[in-house]
Every structure is written in structure tokens, then in C-alpha cells.
Amino acid sequence: MADRLYTSIKTDEIISTFRATTKLDKAILARMAFSYSLVHSGAKVSKSFNFSGGEMKKTSFMGNDELLVKTLINQVYQIEELDDSQFYSNKSVVKDHVDNGASLLWDLFQKNGEDINKWYSEIVSTIHLSGAKKLKTKDLDIFIGRNILHNDDLIMALNDTTVHANSHLAIMGKPGVGKTQFLLKILADIRVQSDYQTNFIFFDYKGDVVDNDTFIDVARARTYKLLQNNEYLPISPFILPDYNEQDIQLSAREKAESFASINSKLGVVQKGALTEAIMGGYAARASSDKPFPDFNDILELALAAYEEEGKRDDSLIEVLRDLANFNLFWSHGSSLPPMEKISNRTMIIDVHKMPVLKELIGYLVIERLYKEMAALPDSTIKDGRRTIRTILVIDEAHNYLGQKNIFLEKIIREGRSKGIVVFFASQSPSDYQQKFFNFQELLEFSYIFQSEGTSAKAIQDILGCSNKTAKDLQSEISRLEPFQVISRSNIKTEEFMKFTAEPFYKSY
């Protein structure tokens, strides 16, 4: 049985070059080449007869995914089974696609001006296997820690509809008590247990998650470090399902309201000017293959309108100039097309370098997610388990909760049936006491780490316990040790429980 093959000399040189640039193992780069070729060339791939390159052992290339690789080949080639020599040898399908894929990836690298970030983005955005597996319901029973009183394991049944009405979650606590490690553990487990079918979009407010290489590797997440290395989000906030006049006008007004809710300096006049500029942007691009504007378009139109009216630059122009000049989102000058969907992506958006606009970046991505969500069919339920498609993760959520984000509220209210879930990480239970929206009522899972200055009313609301119990818990919560957590009880005879949370670094 063949357990190794030899790549072509050209492939060996290409993979060695990519290894120096990306710091990825040769086996990973070979698998990328294989996958890219399988999608782009399929069964028509050219045979490779050059064996003068490097040795590649089957165990290194396959890892634990031999069955997956065979299944993909069987699907693309429409065959029942490959014999061992056809599968992995010097005359195999795998060798043909590794050598072919390496050449394709090199051509792509050259096309993108040898910019490794653009290269990564295009690989991710262009690979779509026809007949890809459908999202299947999984039991997302997540081990979260051990009960301090009974020392038994605690399981969070995230998608069990027979027990929980929805799957929204909040983790609260002051800095340094372990809540981020707990959050990463939960997200990593969800990715692994769902076979990477449940995605997440993570707003990294402090920039610590995006630098956690182990978590990124386990979660298979794509990172976007805004204002670093010329990275930007390949997302257009202006893409619409339909470009009729009514939808354009509604979207323009919604964005004006969004901007004003975050920036108190934007009044009625500025909202009107922004609405007109956005509508003008759509009109100007109506006949193009991408009939939507970018922020450069909006800025130019707003500046022209101000000049015509003899108005001086104000807070609206300042915001638009930042959005355009910082190059945060996709623009018409980008070398890659914008993402068609974000609801099927796992990405970490690092905003910690942003001097301003952190919340606005989040707002625009959340709006895009909601509009995709609204067009999705209801997620499937099997044996009481609902399929969770995507988790919106908002770090440092106390910076968002006070804003009247209508799209975030709609996702929380309507996301259950669509399999869209929100996870919050914030500093205190008091963060969720907002008069304009009842967050507590819709948070199914609430985990309180050590917090200070928390009112009894906030504890009562977030845990659903009695006022007397909440008052008793005030001092308890202020004295919790790192990784100790107070939460609602799974046992109906108790109103709360105390447990030691399992951190990411222990599990992975």
C-alpha cells in the first residue's frame, strides 16, 4: 500500500516559497493546493509525470481526514471507490491535484501582486464545491465546568429546544477574571462539535483574540486586522437583495439612523444629507455590474452637496472621510469581489486599532448579517435540536448595549427560528438594563464572573431569581475567584448555582 509520493520540482519550489511567506507547514500548503485544484480543475486535471520534488508522506498530508479527502474525490470524479494506488501514490489523483494546485496558487499569488493577504482572501472567497454537504443538526452539548458544591460536570445544551427557548448568551465580569478564556472554550467546542458547520463572527475589541494562534487554528477562523497591514473587510454594507427605488430609500434612511444613533453630533440635517448622498450613490452606479456605491462615492457626493450649498465640513463629513480614507470596507478599487454572504463565514474582526468608529463598524456588519438572516429559510429542528448557523459574538459589549441598534435587536428577537445566535461578553449584569430594549428576557444563558458594584435588581433580572436571593448574591459575586461563575441553575429546586468555568487553554 502506497504511503508516500513525490511532488514535481516546481511544486516543491512553490510550496517552499509559500512556507517562508505564510509560516504554514508544507503539508497544509499541499492540502490547500489539492483543494484548490479539485475545485477549479476537477476530473479534467492534467496528469503529473515529474517526481523529482520533495517526499510527502500520506500521514502528514492526510492527518485524520483521509475519509473526507476520499469522499471529496469520489464526489468530484463521480466514482464509488478508488484503489490505494489511484488514491495516494506517484500516479495518483492526489499527486495530480497537488502539482496542478500549486501552479494555480502561484498564478493567483502573482495576480495579486504577491500580496499574501489578498491571496488568502481570494482563495477563501472563490472556493465553492457544488453539491457541498448541507447543514445538519448536531447536538451542541458543551461542557462548561464543574459545580463547586457537588463537583459534577456541567453541560450547556445550547441548541436543545425542549429545554431552552433560544440560544442567546451573556458572559459578564470585570477584566482578568477568565471570561474571555471561557468564551473561547465555548466557541471552539461549538466549531469542533458541529464539524465546523456552525460559524461565528467575532468583534475583537481588545485585539487579544485575533493574536491567539491556537484558538484561530482550532476555530479555523479568518482574521481581519483593521488599520494593520492594509487589511480591510471584503464586505460592502451597500449590497442589497434588490435594487428597486423603495429598498434603496429604506436602506439609505436606515444607515442614516444608524450613524446618528452612534454619533450624537449627527442631527436631522446631517441625516438628511447622508440619506441623499447614499441614494445618489446608488443612482450613479445603477448601470454598472456592481450597482451599489462605496464610501468613496458617498463622501464625494456629500462633499459636492455641501460645496453647492456653501456649507462647511461638519461631523458627517468627518465620519465619511474616516470611513473612506481608512479603507475599512470593500471599495470599487478593490482587487477582489465583495463577499456575497457573511452568514456562512467564521471571522474575527479586530477593531482595537480604530481610534474612532469601532461601534459603527460593528453596526454595519450587524446590519448586513440581519438582512442575510431575513432571507434565510428557518433552520431545521431534528429530535428537538435546532441547527445553529451563525453566532454573532460581541466582545466588550457594554460599548454596544447602550446604542439603539435596531438590527441587533431584530437579530435577538427573530434569530431563533433562523439559527442565528448572539453571544455577549461585557463587564457587569447592569450593562443589560437598558430602558429601550429588554435584553435580559431573551438571554437564555447568563454567566456572571466576579463583578463589582452590581445592583441587586440587575442580578435579579439577569438570573431570574428572587429579590432576596439577588441581594444575597451581591457580596458573593464581588468575592468570586478567577474562573468562578454564578449562573442560573439546571436544578429547578435551586435558583442559582456556582461553578468553576473550564478555560480554553486547558481544553486546547
Side-chain angles (χ1 to χ4, degrees):
M1 182 173 68
D3 65 348
R4 65 194 64 200
L5 59 79
Y6 290 85
T7 67
S8 71
I9 186 65
K10 180 180 178 182
T11 295
D12 196 41
E13 291 172 353
I14 290 171
I15 287 179
S16 295
T17 301
F18 279 141
R19 185 185 184 189
T21 306
T22 65
K23 311 304 181 188
L24 294 174
D25 291 341
K26 284 189 174 183
I28 293 174
L29 290 162
R31 288 174 67 162
M32 290 172 65
F34 165 81
S35 303
Y36 198 78
S37 174
L38 196 65
V39 170
H40 284 267
S41 301
K44 296 180 180 179
V45 66
S46 300
K47 296 294 296 180
S48 176
F49 299 104
N50 186 304
F51 316 115
S52 56
E55 178 188 78
M56 192 162 60
K57 292 182 178 179
K58 184 177 180 181
T59 52
S60 300
F61 178 82
M62 295 294 172
N64 297 320
D65 294 328
E66 182 172 338
L67 179 61
L68 171 63
V69 175
K70 283 183 175 178
T71 301
L72 291 172
I73 292 172
N74 291 344
Q75 176 183 305
V76 170
Y77 281 76
Q78 294 295 296
I79 55 177
E80 290 295 326
E81 191 63 60
L82 287 170
D83 64 39
D84 289 336
S85 63
Q86 288 176 305
F87 175 59
Y88 203 90
S89 71
N90 278 343
K91 299 180 179 180
S92 67
V93 169
V94 170
K95 173 174 167 54
D96 294 341
H97 281 292
V98 169
D99 286 346
N100 181 63
S103 294
L104 292 175
L105 290 180
W106 183 254
D107 291 344
L108 191 69
F109 188 54
Q110 297 296 308
K111 172 190 164 186
N112 284 288
E114 300 191 5
D115 185 319
I116 201 66
N117 291 312
K118 290 181 179 178
W119 179 74
Y120 274 133
S121 296
E122 187 156 355
I123 292 171
V124 171
S125 65
T126 58
I127 291 183
H128 299 286
L129 272 174
S130 60
K133 64 182 179 180
K134 293 182 179 179
L135 196 64
K136 295 182 180 178
T137 306
K138 298 286 183 181
D139 292 354
L140 295 181
D141 291 343
I142 309 299
F143 168 63
I144 57 173
R146 291 175 176 81
N147 190 305
I148 290 175
L149 182 60
H150 305 292
N151 197 33
D152 53 346
D153 289 354
L154 293 178
I155 304 296
M156 177 181 69
L158 185 67
N159 66 333
D160 190 341
T161 62
T162 64
V163 181
H164 302 291
N166 60 58
S167 303
H168 303 313
L169 175 152
I171 299 173
M172 298 145 277
K174 70 179 190 179
V177 295
K179 64 181 189 289
T180 298
Q181 281 289 323
F182 182 52
L183 175 61
L184 299 189
K185 158 71 168 61
I186 292 172
L187 290 172
D189 282 1
I190 290 169
R191 289 285 286 160
V192 172
Q193 289 181 213
S194 71
D195 291 340
Y196 296 92
Q197 295 182 62
T198 297
N199 296 287
F200 66 75
I201 300 172
F202 192 121
F203 292 112
D204 185 4
Y205 222 82
K206 301 186 294 293
D208 53 347
V209 175
V210 79
D211 289 330
N212 189 324
D213 292 337
T214 306
F215 174 69
I216 291 168
D217 183 50
V218 171
R220 300 183 186 176
R222 171 68 164 94
T223 62
Y224 295 96
K225 299 183 177 183
L226 301 186
L227 292 189
Q228 300 170 70
N229 303 318
N230 295 316
E231 282 200 64
Y232 67 95
L233 284 172
I235 296 169
S236 171
F238 299 101
I239 288 179
L240 299 175
D242 193 1
Y243 296 96
N244 60 64
E245 185 178 350
Q246 186 176 21
D247 286 353
I248 288 172
Q249 185 174 8
L250 177 61
S251 178
R253 293 196 62 174
E254 286 173 339
K255 282 189 174 58
E257 292 293 340
S258 300
F259 279 50
S261 71
I262 292 167
N263 189 327
S264 59
K265 295 179 181 178
L266 299 184
V268 175
V269 174
Q270 284 87 356
K271 285 196 294 183
L274 179 56
T275 301
E276 291 298 322
I278 293 174
M279 292 175 64
Y282 280 104
R285 294 282 182 179
S287 60
S288 69
D289 61 331
K290 294 181 177 62
F292 47 86
D294 59 19
F295 279 112
N296 291 302
D297 294 336
I298 308 304
L299 173 61
E300 288 179 12
L301 288 164
L303 284 170
Y306 272 45
E307 184 177 353
E308 184 177 342
E309 296 173 17
K311 293 169 60 177
R312 298 173 61 185
D313 291 358
D314 59 9
S315 52
L316 172 61
I317 299 299
E318 182 182 347
V319 171
L320 291 175
R321 188 172 279 124
D322 284 344
L323 285 166
N325 293 345
F326 284 158
N327 191 31
L328 302 173
F329 288 97
W330 179 90
S331 66
H332 283 282
S334 300
S335 59
L336 301 177
M339 286 183 185
E340 292 184 8
K341 286 188 175 182
I342 64 171
S343 57
N344 60 355
R345 306 275 180 161
T346 289
M347 63 178 98
I348 302 171
I349 302 171
D350 175 17
V351 297
H352 90 281
K353 288 279 189 180
M354 298 290 302
V356 292
L357 305 179
K358 287 184 174 73
E359 290 80 17
L360 188 54
I361 299 300
Y363 208 121
L364 292 168
V365 175
I366 291 167
E367 176 190 359
R368 173 69 183 274
L369 178 62
Y370 170 73
K371 292 192 172 177
E372 285 185 25
M373 182 190 91
L376 290 171
D378 286 353
S379 65
T380 56
I381 299 177
K382 184 178 179 181
D383 300 326
R385 299 288 182 152
R386 185 185 298 279
T387 296
I388 295 179
R389 290 185 168 105
T390 303
I391 300 168
L392 173 65
V393 188
I394 303 181
D395 188 24
E396 300 291 299
H398 41 276
N399 294 293
Y400 288 84
L401 291 166
Q403 310 290 346
K404 292 182 180 180
N405 188 325
I406 58 172
F407 298 108
L408 177 59
E409 294 168 18
K410 287 179 177 181
I411 290 174
I412 294 172
R413 281 198 304 263
E414 304 167 19
R416 174 177 59 183
S417 65
K418 304 288 190 175
I420 307 294
V421 173
V422 182
F423 283 9
F424 295 102
S426 65
Q427 293 185 354
S428 168
S430 301
D431 297 327
Y432 301 88
Q433 289 191 303
Q434 304 293 338
K435 293 180 180 178
F436 60 87
F437 189 76
N438 191 341
F439 288 98
Q440 298 99 317
E441 184 181 29
L442 296 165
L443 290 172
E444 194 74 15
F445 302 96
S446 301
Y447 300 111
I448 307 176
F449 288 68
Q450 185 186 137
S451 303
E452 296 175 350
T454 303
S455 70
K457 181 66 167 62
I459 296 169
Q460 181 182 359
D461 289 344
I462 207 84
L463 294 181
C465 61
S466 67
N467 181 260
K468 180 181 182 304
T469 299
K471 288 181 178 178
D472 293 339
L473 287 174
Q474 271 185 293
S475 58
E476 178 92 12
I477 288 170
S478 67
R479 295 197 306 268
L480 289 172
E481 296 177 7
F483 290 103
Q484 288 187 345
V485 183
I486 298 290
S487 74
R488 295 170 186 163
S489 178
N490 291 331
I491 305 170
K492 292 184 179 179
T493 55
E494 297 178 358
E495 290 185 295
F496 72 94
M497 62 183 175
K498 183 177 177 181
F499 68 93
T500 302
E502 189 76 2
F504 172 79
Y505 66 77
K506 277 192 176 182
S507 293
Y508 295 93

